[in-house]
Amino acid sequence: MPDANPLLDDRDVDFLLYAVHDATALCALPAFAMHGRETFDLTLQTMRRMARGVFFPAYRAADAQPPTLRDGRVALHPSMRAMFTAMAEAGVLAATRPFAVGGQQLPSLVNTAAGAYLCAANCAGAGLAMLTTEAAHLIESFGDDALRARYMTALYEGRMTGTMALTEPHAGSSLGDITTRATPAPDGTYRISGSKIFISGGEHDLTDNIVHMVLARIDGAPPGSRGVSLFCVPKLRPEGEREVPNDVQCAGVLHKIGWRALPSVVLSFGEAGDCHGWLVGREGRGLPQMFQMMNAARIGVGMSAAAKACGAYHEALRYARERPQGRGLSARDAQGPQAPITAHADVRRMLLRQKAIAEGALSLALEAARLADLAEHLPDDDGRARARMLLDLLTPVVKTFPAERGFEATALAVQVHGGYGYTTEYLPELWMRDQKLNSIHEGTTGIQGLDLLGRKVVAGGGEALRLWSERVAEATAQARAAGVEDAWCAALDEAVTDVSTLTMELGARGLSGDLDGMLGHSADYLELFSVVCIAWQWMRQAAAARARLGAGDDGFYRAKLRAAQYWLRTELPRVKHLAALCRDAEDSYLGLDTDWL
């Protein structure tokens, strides 16, 4: 039965949170001084119960009955209300925000680990909460007192929901090309006109009001990204003591391969010329401000993808242990009882690969959450700046690796199930459909590769890459001290050197004006950088596991060491091949005329 799936292994989450990422060390920061292991564990217990008791039982049914548009209103599956209400009542929406705005001042590291259970159980419910939280955070960070009073608290309490309204049909991810207009009005507001597409949670029947965070161009603003501003555009606007419709219309619901319970809609603003918007922050600063929400969403997508990969792995593991088929290669009695398919080497290969991908990705997402805590709460400016630079560097990887490899890992869960895997009676095909979206929404893999190589690794004249290299070196040093095989450590050290050397070569090409030579293989660069980042995370896990052998639960720690061995021995050698493609500017597609196809 599906409810037998734990979604995530509680031992693994505790291991990552406390043994690898040292969550309790964050309590030394003033912002988290009131917390400790007790409150962290209570948060985890609450989210585990919610995920397993409310979210997961509704997963299949909500997917089977996607949202419908009726008379301009989108009707959701009833379970969405139960999920959202449970999160609001538990304080999930404002968990990481300060006490001053009604939050619990919980570290992002702990909140992310706890939220992973919700993502694995039902990404649609978790996604609506993330959008609402981050819309409120934008208003908290950049809105004036009036906007904060009217919308921020209502969003954090779940009385309203929020969206990010960026994409337009003609512009896609090129946000500098948006044409939605904002015309100044005598009352100090703006009249918004235009359309947006792929707006998750843009219309529904859970709350009366929906607060859209909209990018638009003020009349007369310069072209490109410098002319884009951010606006708060509610579905219902205040008019005296009442709230009235704000000329925001849902023009259609998109039918998706996955994440089906969370509606993705087309929105039309100002068809009647009466859509009011309130400027958030400064004119022309819309994109830099919106990146706060976009980057949070990218890390959220990565965590969701890692969590889904974990859920699919546990589903495959449970099935493989219970499914008898054939006999082991060394079996002599052809009439003897069938063995579970875990007796077959290729099934063990698939399971270990799933584990290596899923738990490596989970650790990397938690590292990003920890850096977010440090970037906001370290007491010194330099420390916060370094943490922010590392977080910015890792964000494209955190978004992309769990999405791309999480899809692969989930496809392996389908494969382990054999013929049952591609039927809707079993869950892996549903996770696989959900996973595919993760490489597209919040910035495609191609965009993330350009961002990583074109901006992030060269940030600060290479300072970001130097900081990352130091962190990896610390991990290998700790692993050696814990007794991890020196060959593994040496291989990771060599891979980091390869990355640094390649990055300098490609950066030099960019400085010389050869942008195609620098960025033509940015997808391969992102892949190789991701492989090394996951090797770094497995090195950290190997060190923690090796140090704990003999203290009980040795099977758990030996499995960790096998997964680390698998990644370091089978994936890390790919770095040199990928680096050669980048270095040689291999031109099979760079020199392709598509008319030939």
Side-chain angles (χ1 to χ4, degrees), residues 26-27 65 83 112 114 118 135 152 232 263 270 314 335 380 383 391 401 455 527 563 586:
L26 292 172
C27 299
Q65 299 177 39
M83 287 185 278
T112 299
L118 305 183
M152 181 189 69
C232 175
H314 286 294
Q335 299 299 314
D380 61 297
L391 177 60
F401 177 87
R455 297 186 183 92
E527 174 73 5
E586 193 280 324

Side-chain angles (χ1 to χ4, degrees), residues 101-323:
V101 299
Q104 301 173 30
Q105 222 156 294
L106 191 71
S108 291
L109 173 59
V110 177
N111 190 61
T112 299
Y117 287 89
L118 305 183
C119 293
N122 201 316
C123 56
L128 186 60
M130 183 277 293
L131 290 165
T132 299
T133 295
E134 292 306 322
H137 191 192
L138 273 183
I139 295 173
E140 177 191 338
S141 299
F142 305 109
D144 59 24
D145 289 342
L147 283 180
R148 285 195 288 269
R150 181 167 292 276
Y151 297 114
M152 181 189 69
T153 301
L155 287 165
Y156 280 145
E157 292 179 353
R159 290 183 281 115
M160 301 178 187
T161 64
T163 76
M164 52 193 303
L166 289 71
T167 308
E168 297 179 5
H170 66 283
S173 298
S174 182
L175 296 178
D177 292 325
I178 66 171
T179 58
T180 297
R181 294 177 54 194
T183 301
D187 62 1
T189 65
Y190 294 77
R191 297 299 173 265
I192 309 298
S193 60
S195 62
K196 300 287 184 178
I197 195 169
F198 308 126
I199 309 306
S200 296
E203 175 55 44
H204 56 72
D205 56 359
L206 294 188
T207 58
D208 291 332
N209 210 353
I210 303 170
V211 180
H212 305 290
M213 306 306 294
V214 179
L215 292 182
R217 194 177 300 279
I218 295 174
D219 291 348
S225 60
R226 293 180 299 116
V228 176
S229 299
L230 177 62
F231 296 88
C232 175
V233 184
K235 176 184 175 179
L236 301 176
R237 70 172 188 262
E239 189 174 275
E241 298 299 317
R242 301 181 305 136
E243 287 191 327
V244 300
N246 193 31
D247 197 11
V248 179
Q249 307 297 328
C250 178
V253 177
L254 302 169
H255 305 288
K256 301 182 292 182
I257 187 175
W259 289 65
R260 295 175 66 183
L262 179 62
S264 181
V265 307
V266 181
L267 291 178
S268 179
F269 298 93
E271 286 187 355
D274 196 30
C275 178
H276 296 217
W278 284 260
L279 180 67
V280 179
R282 293 160 43 199
E283 289 187 20
R285 296 292 296 169
L287 266 182
Q289 292 170 177
M290 184 60 94
F291 264 109
Q292 174 179 289
M293 187 171 186
M294 291 168 64
N295 285 332
R298 287 170 175 173
I299 293 170
V301 166
M303 172 51 74
S304 180
K308 287 187 189 69
C310 288
Y313 161 65
H314 286 294
E315 193 77 5
L317 178 61
R318 181 175 65 90
Y319 177 85
R321 285 171 169 166
E322 296 174 354
R323 167 67 170 168

Side-chain angles (χ1 to χ4, degrees), residues 427-505:
L427 283 171
E429 66 84 27
L430 201 170
W431 270 304
M432 188 173 69
R433 287 190 285 106
D434 279 349
Q435 284 285 33
K436 189 57 223 158
L437 273 70
N438 292 324
S439 62
I440 298 172
H441 57 184
E442 309 308 338
T444 63
T445 296
I447 287 173
Q448 303 303 326
L450 291 171
D451 183 40
L452 176 66
L453 181 53
R455 297 186 183 92
K456 300 303 173 56
V457 295
V458 295
E463 177 67 9
L465 188 65
R466 186 188 65 78
L467 289 172
W468 172 79
S469 300
E470 289 179 354
R471 291 294 307 277
V472 181
E474 291 172 5
T476 55
Q478 291 168 0
R480 283 188 174 97
V484 173
E485 284 81 347
D486 187 69
W488 300 2
C489 300
L492 182 52
D493 287 340
E494 183 178 356
V496 171
T497 299
D498 289 342
V499 170
S500 298
T501 301
L502 175 66
T503 304
M504 287 189 289
E505 293 178 16

